Amino acid sequence: MTAIRRAWLATPIVALLALAGTPLRARPSPKQDSPIANPTPADLERGKQTFETTCSTCHGLDGGGAMGPNIQGIPFRLGADAVTNVIKNGMSGGMPPFSAQLDSTQIQQIVGYLLTLSHKDTGTVTGDAAKGKGVYDSSGCAGCHIVSGLGSGIGPELTKVGHLRGPGYLRNAVLYPGTDLPQARVFLESGGLLDYLFIHAVTNDGHAFDGTRVVEDSFRIVIKDARGEFHSFRKADLRELKKEPGKSTMPSMKGKLSDAQVNDLVAYLAGLKGDQ
Ligand code: HEC
Ligand code: HEC
């Protein structure tokens, strides 16, 4: 069956897959530069004001996401240059360009402000990070995530997740996967697409498949399952095609790990800041 499905991925879809698939496996390592060498409190305050008047309608008042994705701390993940670029030039999926509206100082102030949002999380770390690494290693996390070059990349890279996300968010991500998924299609710096729309498909001959959408047009859809395998379908061959926004391919650890283990795991993740 896989062989037949793979044959489907001929020519144009293969090109799209290459775009959509590779960045998850080999995401560019985030750049180290910081947006403003030393943003003053006044810079950050102005960044906050500009953000609230210009960006919050789509990204939420706290940057936590609305119609656009969660961009709290995003310069840590994409690099300050890439974020500056996105703000100036926009992105094809609904992010408008702001080069005509904002000057480069204002943009830098916003980037500085976005960095401060990474730590706005009320959760606290109570566990033991060293034990948490053991929990990470024995729970199959590396089957879907990369930390410092180790693992594989169906899920987002976690090398700097402690910079990007606070402990409360991390706990939530592990216990209730999918609750904070971007509500819009997120395009990666490298040209790929990070789209977490969960799909449940059943073929006319009764085989069921679950995964996230990779590409879709009027006639076909390609999904990627939790093992990272691609499945391509002609829509005419499907008896059922259900889109389940907010659902995740990541298994919940609720009930699989003890409270203490979850605390340790959160401590480990919160400590992943990209420094060796
Ligand atoms: C009209 C809605 C809208 C406004 C206003 C808007 N954005 Fe966006 N933004 C989006 C959408 C939608 C995306 C997802 C990418 C896409 O589809 O283009 C996005 C993506 C981004 C990304 C990349 C996220 C990622 O994970 O790659 C950044 C950074 C960003 N926006 C920052 C900003 C900033 C800063 C402002 C204010 C100056 C702003 N946006 C204003 C809708 C908006
Ligand atoms: C079958 C694949 C898979 C496994 C196994 C898996 N994850 Fe995930 N994980 C994902 C995907 C896909 C996402 C993207 C968001 C979503 O779907 O919920 C994600 C999201 C996350 C996030 C949120 C990242 C962010 O920046 O928003 C964290 C943290 C995380 N996973 C940690 C873990 C840990 C810890 C384990 C092991 C206990 C684990 N994951 C196991 C697939 C997986």
Side-chain angles (χ1 to χ4, degrees):
M1 169 136 354
T2 320
I4 299 168
R5 298 240 135 79
R6 282 192 189 285
W8 272 106
L9 305 181
T11 37
I13 296 189
V14 146
L16 284 168
L17 271 183
L19 272 180
T22 32
L24 295 183
R25 249 166 253 289
R27 298 266 296 264
S29 50
K31 298 173 191 80
Q32 300 299 327
D33 51 358
S34 84
I36 307 182
N38 284 305
T40 63
D43 279 326
L44 296 179
E45 187 49 39
R46 276 190 216 108
K48 179 172 190 282
Q49 281 165 9
T50 317
F51 179 86
E52 285 174 358
T53 51
T54 318
C55 321
S56 67
T57 40
C58 295
H59 291 285
L61 205 53
D62 62 350
M67 163 266 183
N70 181 329
I71 52 170
Q72 293 172 337
I74 191 140
F76 284 117
R77 180 149 55 99
L78 301 184
D81 288 350
V83 173
T84 304
N85 239 349
V86 166
I87 299 173
K88 275 192 188 146
N89 304 319
M91 296 169 98
S92 58
M95 166 73 195
F98 287 94
S99 53
Q101 193 181 332
L102 302 174
D103 63 34
S104 64
T105 310
Q106 286 173 308
I107 293 177
Q108 297 224 314
Q109 287 164 342
I110 294 178
V111 175
Y113 172 64
L114 289 176
L115 284 168
T116 68
L117 290 181
S118 54
H119 302 291
K120 242 192 183 176
D121 185 305
T122 47
T124 48
V125 170
T126 53
D128 176 331
K131 281 194 199 145
K133 181 171 189 331
V135 177
Y136 183 91
D137 290 340
S138 61
S139 303
C141 314
C144 291
H145 293 285
I146 294 177
V147 172
S148 302
L150 296 177
S152 60
I154 296 164
E157 173 161 356
L158 300 179
T159 308
K160 286 196 170 189
V161 78
H163 253 317
L164 200 58
R165 313 295 194 191
Y169 179 100
L170 292 170
R171 171 180 305 275
N172 221 30
V174 168
L175 294 178
Y176 309 103
T179 41
D180 287 304
L181 294 188
Q183 292 175 26
R185 317 187 93 195
V186 177
F187 289 82
L188 301 173
E189 182 188 1
S190 46
L193 170 66
L194 197 58
D195 180 3
Y196 289 122
L197 184 62
F198 194 90
I199 302 285
H200 176 73
V202 183
T203 57
N204 286 335
D205 55 5
H207 292 91
F209 296 84
D210 288 311
T212 45
R213 178 175 66 182
V214 181
V215 269
E216 178 179 10
D217 63 22
S218 314
F219 306 105
R220 289 165 198 249
I221 185 162
V222 181
I223 67 171
K224 192 178 184 187
D225 69 18
R227 295 204 318 267
E229 301 249 346
F230 293 103
H231 304 277
S232 172
F233 305 100
R234 251 175 25 151
K235 287 187 178 168
D237 295 336
L238 294 176
R239 177 161 88 198
E240 198 185 332
L241 177 60
K242 205 160 75 187
K243 300 184 176 172
E244 304 178 85
K247 217 173 153 187
S248 174
T249 47
M250 170 162 161
S252 167
M253 292 296 124
K254 198 167 166 53
K256 292 191 201 144
L257 298 176
S258 68
D259 287 353
Q261 284 176 311
V262 170
N263 289 342
D264 293 343
L265 186 56
V266 169
Y268 168 65
L269 294 171
L272 294 175
K273 305 216 159 155
D275 33 43
Q276 298 309 318

